[in-house]
Amino acid sequence: MRAFEYASPTTKEQAVSLLGNSWDEAEVLAGGTDLLSLMKDGCVAPKRLVNIKEIRELRGISAGGGGLRIGALATIQELLDNRAVSRAYPAITQAAEGITSPQIRSLGTIGGELCQRPRCWYYRAGYGLLATDEQGEPLVPSGDNRYHAILGNAGPAYFVHASSLAPALIALGAKVRLFGPDGVREMWLDQFFTTPLTADDRETALKPNEIVTEIIVPTALGVKSATYEVRQREALDWPLATASVALSMSGDRVRVARIVMGHVAPRPWRAAEAEQVLAEKAVTEEVAQKAGELALNGANSLSRNGYKIQLARVAVKRAILMAARGGRG
Amino acid sequence: MQRDEKMKEKGSGLSRRTFLKVSGISLSVPVVLGHRTIKVAGAEVEVYGPGKVPIALTVNGAKHTAEVEPRVTLLEALRHELDLTGAKRVCDRATCGACTVIMDGKPVYSCSVLALEAQGKQITTAEGLLRGDRLHPVQQAFIDNDAQQCGFCTPGFVVACKVFLDKNPNPTPEEIQKGLGGNLCRCGTYVGVRAAVAQAANQYPNRKGGGNQSTSKGGR
């Protein structure tokens, strides 16, 4: 890890002033479970770390009539332990349960979970975000791509986005608030995620001198939600494919459905066709099956990850059925 | 700041050329420079490093001081500065659990916490579970259930099990399995570890009779 200087501001204004205009100037330190590993592997080498954990207003989770506010510094464990969240937003709790290490849940924050960098082993081994050789040729399509993208993978990005909470939050219609030198910016969480076109880009709309301050989730009144994960093992690991589903119900019929898949594309992946097939229908096994197939309609496997297409289909189908049962497995 | 940058290399292969260049102008500059204060957003904020800065850590109830660069992790400070080698460095990437310690009642990977950040927190390592010569019930249960083989993951596992039982004194087998999801054992002693946790739970001080305490106390 390269040497750096360290500051621990107590307000978001101070934090933003301590950040720089480029990513090599400064990085934001929250839980640290991803950032410090990235720094040890030389994937990022900031000259300064700005620890935001002393900024009190970024903490806490509050649920009220208007929905849910999750401070960027709320930990995964706090989210998991929050009864109001598990009652009204099972998709969020189930996604948080998939972060299986108690140690990561204690340190890891919501803001950090959304801003974590890809787990792509080429990236982590120093081949750059887009995993290229010295001539700039991509290594993933002909390499070991068993955990790489099956959607949105026409290049140059082939990695999958590592966030497990983002699909659930997007399905529930969440917004994210950012703070920078020009004040507050708010956007749909769906629009926060971007697919990098160059190795210097990031996977979010966050600028080097901005911080995530909070996530706002609208009320879940009349909404049934669930997250289903397909994973290799129960212990600490990222899932192979996940689906988060939110169904706005009118009686026993679906009014509007939102389906978002995780770990299948360089960004959380919305399945619009599958959403439409659920509209104005009662949820049955057949409809859920159909939605799973439609969700993966545009999928393209690389040389070694064809199996993920079927896993994602099943994840979508089971998440829909779970949501219809009120989030129960 | 350029001066700090160079001074940081002292003791870890400071080149002769750099030494000559620096020593000519900074013989009187101490190696530990502490911090500087800069004004941002109308407030004074302290910026530490990149050279060594003095820190104070509270580990197993005792206060320790050391001088470390900001890039030194809590794990490195424990092992190299305080000679507490219970927490092990294995993956050093927040994935194996061998470096697990308790920080303010919560299990954390000490490889992923900076030593600077750990100041002012109560830190407990495997060494801190002993009461004089007496083993903690979890430690005794590891011996009784043959819950280790090579032993490298054991201190991290023991600490993770202790903090798990603090929160779940009456765990079901499924909760034990899930509660230890942050630690790996390459020898595969999981059956023994789970049996050890079940045994220790029976002797646990805050165990309540009957009922399943699966819900956490939350927000500690």
Side-chain angles (χ1 to χ4, degrees), chain B residues 89-155:
Chain B
R89 177 175 156 154
V90 179
C91 77
D92 204 26
R93 299 291 185 280
T95 43
C96 77
C99 67
T100 302
V101 302
I102 305 170
M103 191 163 81
D104 282 350
K106 294 169 189 162
V108 301
Y109 294 138
S110 60
C111 74
S112 295
V113 176
L114 295 175
L116 259 75
E117 295 178 81
Q119 298 184 90
K121 316 256 188 207
Q122 294 292 330
I123 294 153
T124 307
T125 67
E127 290 94 336
L129 301 185
L130 287 167
R131 291 287 168 267
D133 288 340
R134 274 186 44 234
L135 293 175
H136 186 275
V138 173
Q139 291 171 315
Q140 186 59 49
F142 265 63
I143 295 169
D144 297 345
N145 291 276
D146 204 9
Q148 63 273 303
Q149 194 172 314
C150 84
F152 220 78
C153 69
T154 308

Side-chain angles (χ1 to χ4, degrees), chain A residues 92-111:
Chain A
I92 298 178
T93 302
Q94 287 156 0
E97 279 170 353
I99 300 164
T100 41
S101 158
Q103 290 91 326
I104 287 193
R105 291 201 303 256
S106 306
L107 286 173
T109 65
I110 307 305

Side-chain angles (χ1 to χ4, degrees), chain A residues 1-11 13-15 17-18 29-34 36-38 40-41 47-49 51 53-54 75 77-78 81 83 97 100-107 119 233-236 238, chain B residues 1 5 8 36 38 40-41 43 45-50 69-71 73 92-97 100 103 106-109 111-114 116-117 121 156 160 167 177-184 186 215-216 218-219:
Chain A
M1 198 189 317
R2 289 236 207 108
F4 54 83
E5 56 178 32
Y6 169 94
S8 192
T10 51
T11 70
E13 290 80 9
Q14 291 167 15
S17 303
L18 287 160
L29 173 67
T33 57
D34 193 28
L36 296 190
S37 294
L38 288 162
K40 289 171 191 173
D41 286 331
K47 296 187 183 77
R48 178 185 286 170
L49 280 198
N51 172 27
K53 284 194 292 294
E54 301 305 320
T75 63
Q77 191 65 49
E78 286 165 2
D81 290 341
R83 293 265 179 90
E97 279 170 353
T100 41
S101 158
Q103 290 91 326
I104 287 193
R105 291 201 303 256
S106 306
L107 286 173
R119 306 302 304 179
R233 49 182 182 161
E234 287 202 27
L236 169 56
W238 278 253
Chain B
M1 284 328 295
E5 198 81 60
K8 83 174 189 282
R36 65 196 170 103
I38 60 172
V40 288
V45 177
E46 288 163 354
V47 176
Y48 296 88
E69 295 176 15
R71 64 173 156 174
T73 62
D92 204 26
R93 299 291 185 280
T95 43
C96 77
T100 302
M103 191 163 81
K106 294 169 189 162
V108 301
Y109 294 138
C111 74
S112 295
V113 176
L114 295 175
L116 259 75
E117 295 178 81
K121 316 256 188 207
K167 199 172 172 180
Q177 194 169 333
K178 283 197 169 161
L180 304 180
N183 292 68
L184 291 180
R186 281 296 181 226
T215 51
S216 64

